[in-house]
Each structure stands twice: as C-alpha cells, then as structure tokens.
Amino acid sequence: MTISNGNHTKWTPILTENSMNPHVKNVQYAVRGPIVQKATNYQELIAQGKGNELPFNEVIKANIGDCQAMLQKPISFLRQVLSACMYPELIGRHPAVFPKDVEKRANEVLDGLPGRSLGSYSESTGHLYCRKIVKEFIEKRDGYPSDVNNIILSNGASEIIKLTLLTATFGEGKDTTGVMIPIPQYPLYSATISEIGAVKVDYYLDEDNKWSLSIEELEKSYKKSFETCTPRVLCVINPGNPTGQVLNRKNIDEIIEFAATHKLVLMADEVYQDNVYDPESEFCSFKKALMESEHKDSLELVSFHSMSKGFMGECGIRGGYGEFVNFDENVMTELKKLKSAQLCSASSGQVALAIVLNPPKPGEESHVLFVKERDAILGTLKSKSVKVHDLFSRMPGMKVNPIMGAMYCFPRIELPQKAVDAAKKLGVAPDAFYVEKLLDQTGICVVAGSGFGQLPGTYHFRTTILPPEDKIESMLTKFEEFHRGFLEEFK
C-alpha cells in the first residue's frame, strides 16, 4: 500500500499489528516462550566461547518433553526398519546390513505403499497399511473393535487435535463453542482455542488430591461457562501434562458419565500412555472405558496417541493418530476433507508410528534387543521421576505431588511476598520471575506454571525428568542451592 504526500510516496505494509488476525495475537505458548529463547541465547554464547562471564558452563533445557534432545537413544528396530524403507537398496545385501526380521518388516511396509516408496503421497487420512496397524494396536490394547475408516494419521497428535477443535467450533456470541480444558493444561489447547476463535472454559484439577479430576469442579465450570459460550467439548489429558497424574478407572467412568449427561464431545489426549511409573496406577484408555459403559453407542469420543513420547521419544519424526468413535458420518467426511487440504501427513511419520505400534514379536531376531531397550528407557525414566520428586518434596517452601506418569513434575512454590512484589514491579508473573532467575544463575531452563494455568494465588513451574542421569544429579543439586538462596534473598 502506498500513500502519496507531495513529491514523496510513503509505503505502508498491509499487515500490521493492528490489522492482522487478532486471534493470532491472542495465541500464547509458554513451552517455547521468552525464557526458552533466553536459554537458547545463552547456549549460543557458550558454543561460541563467549560465555566466560556466565555463572554456568552449560544450559540444561528441562522445559520441553524432547527425549532425544536430552540424549535418549532411539529404538534400534524402529530406526533400522525406517532406514531400510528410506533406502531399499540396503535390503538383501551380502553381508546383510540388517537382521532378517527388519528386512522382512521393511518389505512388508514398502509393499503397502504406492510405488513401494516412502516418498509417495498417502490417502489424506494416512496409508491404509499404517491405519490397519493402528487399528490392530487399539484392538489389542482395549479388547474391542476399531475401524480403519475412523482413524486419521497426522503429523504428531497436535495436528489432529487442532483439526478436531476447528471442526467442533461454531456459533456466535454466547452460542460460540466452549471448550473445557484442565488447568493446568498443555498450552497447545489454549493456543488453538485462541487461534480458531472458540472460548476457553477452565476447570481446575485437584492439586491436593494428586491432581485428580473432580466432577464437582467440572459441574461448576460447566454451569458458569454459559455466561460467555455454549460448552460442547471436554478435553482430558491422561497421563497428565504438566501434572504427571494418572487417572484411575473410577474417575474415567465418572468423566464419561459427565460428558454423556451434558452432551459433550470428549477429547482424550493419551499420548503418555506408555509412561506410567506409579506401581499403584495403571493406564486405562477412554475407549475401553466407554465400550464398557452404557454410553458406548452414543458418546462422541476422539482419542489421540503419538510417537513423540513413551519409550519411542521420536518427537521430530512427527507421527500420531486420532481415533473417532460415534462420530456422524457426514462430520467424518468433512474432517477428512479438512485433512485432505493438507494432502497427507509425512509418510515417514506414518510408517514410523506403524513400526512402534507393531514391535518385534517373541522369537523374532530383534525382539530381545527391543525389549531390553524399551525396558531400559522406561526404567530410567521411572528412576529419574523418583529422584526429581524426592528432591522437590524435601525443599523448603515447595509442595509436590508424586510423579505417577508422563515426563513432568509440577511443583508448587510458596514464594515470599518480597519476591512477589519484585515481580509485580517488573510487570512479570511471580513464577516467571523465579524461573528466569533460576536460568540466569544456574543455566537450568524450566517453564513457569503461569504458562499452563494455575489456581489464582498459587505459583508453580514445570520441569521434565528427561535430562540424562549423569546430568540430573548435578541439575538437582544446582536447583536446590538456587532455591535456598532465592528464599534467603527474598525472605
């Protein structure tokens, strides 16, 4: 756009902060926010040899659940099959490059792809071969039928979660779709709700009861929401992010009953289903619980899984799925149309997901190594979850629930009033003030609880349990020294 002013023509951009889509400006995503950018800047200084004046010699990014960035080794079978599919010329060589069962699986995968090529497009919902593997995984896990036509593969679970929320959003004013989300929550949900113009309906998890989901709180939130919107969707994260809780079966049944009673679409984020460390807890899928309820034919449920978490930790390969249960056929058609506008998710991610959901079987050449690697990863995560919990539970001015599952700890900090006042003077949230000082003094990067939502008047932070064992000890020691010093400074 140009504006003439005498002999001068001034150019002004069409898109400005005032003219751009206002929904975009409302999006917040603390997991990769300014504190994380500051940590990245510190990392670059150290890498360039310019960090001599910093009080630390490395940055430990405990802000995001990126397993392999924290040096978790990938599963050999997955990478071998994927490599063979990427470059089929490696199959059948003498001497052999891969074990026989790897070559067999790679050929099976390639036979299921157009042109036997990982570079081919798939159907918009995903390669039929891969969707069949997902179907069989769900049936084996739950003991109930699944249908490939109700499964959509995506670039990680995030993509299909966004498409589902977009499809479920309609109405204007108080009739606009309200989406009930847990607080604390994974900020993908609040960010997406802002992006698509839906209304966020908060319900608070019960911190004093291991972050359980209270039906009384759901009812309270549901009734209050009609002041601003019409609630149509209920989101549940199990195991929890950022809270690390695992819902018991009774709680899951109560949630299903609540959703059915109030005619809500139930979205179950179950990407951490392999990560359960508490010996008294057990993962139960919402699909299984629904099939064993009186609402098995009437409640609309979509559940999500991803290969980014669990023992796989393949965040960057981007493979996930959504299974839609009891959805109207016409809605499914529109959902698939929306997905087809993106053509398809990456074939490599689809195939990788199919490989990890169908691991080597007993008697196959790769089975022993697969079990050893899987159990070692989950065992290490369990060990680190205990260490992290034990440290924070003994620190003064800190309260923490057991880490039952997922990859996170979400401690509550009793911040001194002097620290709260100092933060407000700077115009930042008190827990953001705390985590920035932690980063500046130790190089440890965590995320302020305000980025996930929290009960007003409470302060938290989220840390992962992912740093390597040889680093997590020193990280925790530094953390404790900082925390005690912080309390002393602001007492």
Side-chain angles (χ1 to χ4, degrees):
M1 181 178 180
T2 57
I3 299 176
S4 296
N5 183 15
N7 296 326
H8 303 284
T9 300
K10 182 181 178 183
W11 176 85
T12 59
I14 295 171
L15 288 179
T16 67
E17 186 179 9
N18 294 325
S19 68
M20 66 180 288
N21 187 336
H23 295 319
V24 175
K25 292 192 289 182
N26 291 332
V27 172
Q28 301 292 327
Y29 194 72
V31 176
R32 296 179 184 267
I35 298 291
V36 181
Q37 184 56 55
K38 191 174 190 181
T40 301
N41 293 341
Y42 281 149
Q43 235 174 359
E44 291 174 356
L45 282 175
I46 293 170
Q48 294 166 5
K50 300 176 182 177
N52 297 334
E53 295 182 5
L54 297 175
F56 48 85
N57 57 15
E58 68 172 337
V59 172
I60 299 177
K61 284 193 170 181
N63 62 292
I64 194 167
D66 190 344
C67 305
Q68 292 185 29
M70 290 288 102
L71 306 182
Q72 176 181 307
K73 291 184 178 180
I75 297 293
S76 298
F77 183 75
L78 166 61
R79 289 300 184 89
Q80 288 171 340
V81 177
L82 202 55
S83 297
C85 290
M86 283 281 191
Y87 194 63
E89 286 79 358
L90 294 175
I91 300 172
R93 287 199 174 187
H94 299 285
V97 176
F98 303 116
K100 289 181 180 179
D101 60 336
V102 168
E103 293 195 345
K104 180 183 176 184
R105 178 66 63 83
N107 276 318
E108 181 184 296
V109 171
L110 291 169
D111 287 343
L113 306 182
R116 277 181 56 88
S117 174
L118 208 57
S120 61
Y121 278 130
S122 74
E123 298 173 51
S124 58
T125 54
H127 287 296
L128 180 60
Y129 167 83
C130 299
R131 284 185 288 128
K132 284 181 178 178
I133 297 295
V134 173
K135 168 186 179 293
E136 291 163 4
F137 163 79
I138 294 170
E139 290 177 340
K140 183 179 179 181
R141 182 194 65 190
D142 298 336
Y144 292 95
S146 180
D147 185 341
V148 292
N149 295 312
N150 294 331
I151 293 168
I152 298 178
L153 305 186
S154 59
N155 291 312
S158 302
E159 182 181 81
I160 193 64
I161 289 171
K162 287 184 173 185
L163 287 179
T164 305
L165 286 172
L166 180 59
T167 303
T169 298
F170 57 91
E172 296 180 354
K174 289 187 178 181
D175 188 45
T176 304
T177 294
V179 182
M180 301 183 69
I181 62 172
I183 298 297
Q185 51 97 30
Y186 178 51
L188 162 72
Y189 289 93
S190 55
T192 303
I193 290 166
S194 295
E195 181 184 346
I196 63 179
V199 177
K200 181 167 71 77
V201 178
D202 298 341
Y203 65 86
Y204 291 98
L205 299 178
D206 186 355
E207 183 172 9
D208 293 329
N209 192 21
K210 298 181 180 179
W211 295 111
S212 64
L213 203 164
S214 161
I215 300 303
E216 290 75 17
E217 170 63 19
L218 279 180
E219 290 285 2
K220 177 182 172 183
S221 173
Y222 176 81
K223 290 173 183 175
K224 184 174 175 55
S225 69
F226 283 96
E227 296 174 5
T228 55
C229 64
T230 300
R232 296 189 177 98
V233 179
L234 171 62
C235 299
V236 181
I237 307 173
N238 181 50
N241 177 8
T243 51
Q245 92 281 7
V246 179
L247 299 178
N248 61 41
R249 176 59 187 270
K250 180 176 180 293
N251 210 178
I252 290 172
D253 289 339
E254 290 172 338
I255 294 164
I256 287 173
E257 185 63 34
F258 173 86
T261 299
H262 295 295
K263 299 188 182 304
L264 300 170
V265 175
L266 182 56
M267 294 176 60
D269 183 335
E270 299 175 332
V271 302
Y272 295 98
Q273 60 189 261
D274 291 306
N275 300 84
V276 177
Y277 316 120
D278 178 26
E280 297 181 3
S281 298
E282 183 179 357
F283 171 77
C284 173
S285 75
F286 273 84
K287 165 75 175 294
K288 177 179 173 64
L290 175 61
M291 291 298 102
E292 295 173 356
S293 79
E294 62 181 288
H295 307 292
K296 64 180 181 180
D297 297 319
S298 57
L299 176 65
E300 291 153 276
L301 167 72
V302 52
S303 55
F304 310 100
H305 194 17
S306 164
M307 61 183 300
S308 297
K309 313 306 175 187
F311 59 88
M312 302 84 76
E314 295 285 5
C315 299
I317 294 182
R318 310 305 298 138
Y321 75 77
E323 183 195 22
F324 296 79
V325 179
N326 295 325
F327 271 65
D328 180 271
E329 287 186 12
N330 293 322
V331 172
M332 287 303 299
T333 298
E334 296 301 320
L335 254 171
K336 292 172 183 179
K337 179 185 73 178
L338 201 58
K339 187 71 185 70
S340 68
Q342 302 170 340
L343 299 182
C344 66
S345 59
S347 292
S348 54
Q350 294 182 39
V351 167
L353 180 70
I355 295 167
V356 297
L357 296 185
N358 182 27
K361 297 173 177 59
E364 293 183 333
E365 192 174 347
S366 299
H367 180 260
V368 172
L369 178 60
F370 169 79
V371 171
K372 181 181 177 182
E373 291 176 338
R374 178 198 64 193
D375 293 352
I377 291 169
L378 293 175
T380 298
L381 288 171
K382 181 176 181 178
S383 170
K384 290 191 288 190
S385 74
V386 172
K387 289 178 182 177
V388 171
H389 171 265
D390 287 353
L391 171 82
F392 292 132
S393 62
R394 73 169 184 258
M395 284 168 59
M398 204 171 282
K399 177 183 176 183
V400 60
N401 276 304
I403 305 172
M404 302 163 72
M407 297 175 171
Y408 311 102
C409 187
F410 198 66
R412 179 173 172 173
I413 333 164
E414 300 294 339
L415 292 176
Q417 187 59 43
K418 188 177 176 183
V420 174
D421 293 342
K424 289 181 178 177
K425 190 174 181 180
L426 293 171
V428 299
D431 46 15
F433 176 76
Y434 176 90
V435 303
E436 184 165 13
K437 278 192 167 293
L438 172 70
L439 173 64
D440 291 341
Q441 295 179 27
T442 68
I444 299 170
C445 180
V446 298
V447 187
S450 49
F452 301 91
Q454 54 198 348
L455 196 66
T458 67
Y459 307 108
H460 301 78
F461 64 87
R462 188 193 80 167
T463 180
T464 72
I465 60 171
L466 295 178
E469 284 202 283
D470 61 341
K471 285 189 178 182
I472 205 161
E473 296 281 3
S474 62
M475 169 188 153
L476 295 176
T477 299
K478 289 178 183 177
F479 207 127
E480 183 169 20
E481 289 174 357
F482 162 80
H483 181 72
R484 292 181 184 275
F486 182 93
L487 295 183
E488 180 66 24
E489 179 183 355
F490 292 98
K491 69 180 180 181

